[in-house]
Amino acid sequence: MDPLAAAIDQGTSSTRFLVFNTKTAQLISHHQVELKQHFPKEGWVEADPREIMDTVHECLEKTCQKLAQLSVDVSRIKAVGVTNQRETTLVWDKETGEPLYNAIVWLDLRTQSTVERLISKTPGRSKNHLKHKTGLPISTYFSAVKLRWLLDNVEAVRQAVLSKRALFGTVDSWIIWSLTGGRDGGVHVTDVSNASRTLLFDIHSLDWDPELCSFFDVPMEILPAVRSSSEIYGRMRSGSLAGVPISGCLGDQSAALVGQMCFEEGQAKNTYGTGCFLLRNTGTKPVMSEHGLITTIAYKLGRDKPACYALEGSVAIAGAVIRWLRDNMCIVQSSSEIEQLAAEAGTSYGCYFVPAFSGLYAPYWEPSARGIICGLTQFTNRSHLAFAALEAVCFQTREILDAMNQDCCIPLPVLGVDGGMTGNRLLMQLQADILCIPVGNDLNHLLSPNITELGYNATQHVRDHGSGCSHGGRRR
């Protein structure tokens, strides 16, 4: 009976719990629950920390019930790992165990004035003033500015800091602290991949930096201990898996890089989720971008192992644009309908969609940008809009890939892909055509049809040959 390993995957829009066979990597069982997002004001995006933990517990227990139905003994689960939406910021009371405010999600824009104020006090008013230490621009995207907003605007947070009761963390820290006992001895930790997204962490020394904390006026005592991505942090204190060690932690995009087996320098993957995130492994030395990308820690697989770095291009809105078409515009009733709707048109017919709902991330880092749809005519219909939305995801990825190739000086030959949107066959074909390189979710089994004619129609190919990974030629 092979041992099993489990993973908590806490994302922006849902939570999953998955159990794998450690010898074969076979997925044995899983359960997924959608997570509600809250939009209290324009540009604000929040999640309820209690609901996050409720979904974690529900997914864990439901999966264990499914294992029992499969006659699989849950005692075979020997370790649990955590992967999470990055940058999303929480502060809670270590004595009561209660969150002091909703989690401020990475997409949130309320900190735009905070960012402008912070940039104004840097020499030359440069958003890249801290990049030499952090690899990041000063942006609404990252945790320190969200934490600064909480300290400035939430009285409960200020009081808890003054009385030494406050703990700060990204979602991984909140989950691990809660599962290892919470107010009764919970372990307050994070890993290097998540810490590197805060603007408070020196990616060279691999520790919280006093100068960075001083810049943001953040008390260092509220920060979690920083650990490697692979070690035992603590043990589950309750539920069906009580006593099982929590022994892995990675930010979701780093976890996707590891999951795609991108362990070699130069290998890359692109994840199509709520946003879109292209990461390229740069090895044990950080590469500083000159073309609008960020430098981040990919992983550190053990206490005594070196940190590995990545160049990253972050797109705020990818799958979220499909959700917007569904929920706000009511163009479709379910996200799965988008592919067929777009295929009916086979083109955007000159319609272009820039879904800058949360500003523009890489390579522009312009929080004041807003979305636009242009090129509309009387002929434009919802099918054209659906096609333009898919193209928007692909064009944003192309822009990031171009910047990455310039930074690395070696063009990326293939692109591994993952995330919910990769089930959209038309999207993947469009992406291959627009990038002009093979794409696929298995780097060892890429399909590369000889499609090089000018004016190649991706939609027709999907209709004729089905999906999969493909290699496209030039764009019409």
Side-chain angles (χ1 to χ4, degrees), residues 134-176:
T134 66
L136 314 173
I138 302 171
S139 164
T140 59
Y141 183 20
F142 304 109
S143 304
V145 291
K146 304 178 194 299
L147 178 54
R148 184 66 258 160
W149 186 92
L150 288 167
L151 292 166
D152 289 338
N153 294 278
V154 181
E155 183 62 26
V157 171
R158 279 200 298 268
Q159 290 302 320
V161 169
L162 289 173
S163 58
K164 310 296 184 184
R165 293 179 291 108
L167 295 179
F168 155 79
T170 42
V171 171
D172 57 306
S173 297
W174 170 241
I175 290 174
I176 293 172

Side-chain angles (χ1 to χ4, degrees), residues 44 104 108-122 125-127 130 137-154 199 215-218 367:
W44 292 30
I104 301 181
D108 190 278
L109 282 177
R110 76 187 67 189
T111 56
Q112 189 170 338
S113 61
T114 304
V115 167
E116 291 168 355
R117 175 170 55 82
L118 291 166
I119 291 175
S120 70
K121 70 177 187 178
T122 66
R125 299 175 62 88
S126 171
K127 64 188 174 189
L130 306 176
I138 302 171
S139 164
T140 59
Y141 183 20
F142 304 109
S143 304
V145 291
K146 304 178 194 299
L147 178 54
R148 184 66 258 160
W149 186 92
L150 288 167
L151 292 166
D152 289 338
N153 294 278
V154 181
L199 279 170
F215 180 84
F216 290 99
D217 195 16
V218 167

Side-chain angles (χ1 to χ4, degrees), residues 414-435:
V414 295
L415 181 64
V417 298
D418 56 69
M421 293 188 80
T422 58
N424 187 315
R425 301 180 300 171
L426 174 58
L427 173 68
M428 291 295 97
Q429 184 63 60
L430 283 169
Q431 188 67 89
D433 298 342
I434 288 171
L435 296 183

Side-chain angles (χ1 to χ4, degrees), residues 163-316:
S163 58
K164 310 296 184 184
R165 293 179 291 108
L167 295 179
F168 155 79
T170 42
V171 171
D172 57 306
S173 297
W174 170 241
I175 290 174
I176 293 172
W177 185 84
S178 299
L179 292 179
T180 55
R183 63 180 182 175
D184 184 21
V187 181
H188 187 215
V189 295
T190 189
D191 92 300
V192 290
S193 71
N194 281 293
S196 71
R197 315 297 295 189
T198 61
L199 279 170
L200 302 172
F201 187 76
D202 187 324
I203 61 173
H204 307 284
S205 68
L206 304 183
D207 206 352
W208 302 119
D209 185 85
E211 290 184 0
L212 294 171
C213 291
S214 176
F215 180 84
F216 290 99
D217 195 16
V218 167
M220 296 187 70
E221 60 267 20
I222 71 173
L223 304 178
V226 181
R227 309 277 280 272
S228 76
S229 309
S230 181
E231 61 179 271
I232 294 176
Y233 313 111
R235 294 180 181 271
M236 304 275 287
R237 289 284 293 273
S238 63
S240 299
L241 298 183
V244 175
I246 300 175
S247 57
C249 180
L250 279 168
D252 53 5
Q253 302 312 318
S254 289
L257 192 74
V258 169
Q260 288 278 7
M261 303 292 285
C262 295
F263 294 119
E264 299 295 326
E265 185 175 340
Q267 290 182 320
K269 68 86 203 174
N270 198 30
T271 298
Y272 299 79
T274 300
C276 200
F277 303 91
L278 177 54
L279 273 72
R280 182 169 182 160
N281 190 326
T282 63
T284 56
K285 293 184 179 179
V287 174
M288 292 296 171
S289 175
E290 296 181 0
H291 299 92
L293 304 181
I294 61 178
T295 304
T296 194
I297 296 179
Y299 51 82
K300 185 177 187 293
L301 298 180
R303 292 182 180 181
D304 300 322
K305 300 294 184 181
C308 286
Y309 296 84
L311 269 180
E312 175 175 332
S314 312
V315 172

Side-chain angles (χ1 to χ4, degrees), residues 28-75:
I28 305 300
S29 186
H30 77 286
H31 191 77
Q32 184 170 5
V33 175
E34 189 166 324
L35 179 68
K36 184 178 180 181
Q37 295 179 23
H38 303 272
F39 307 94
K41 295 183 182 180
E42 182 181 355
W44 292 30
V45 188
E46 298 178 357
D48 184 341
R50 300 177 192 84
E51 185 179 347
I52 289 174
M53 287 311 305
D54 286 345
T55 61
V56 169
H57 288 298
E58 179 180 350
C59 288
L60 189 155
E61 295 301 331
K62 292 283 188 182
T63 303
C64 288
Q65 291 172 18
K66 292 179 181 180
L67 290 174
Q69 292 168 6
L70 295 170
S71 299
V72 175
D73 189 344
V74 296
S75 68

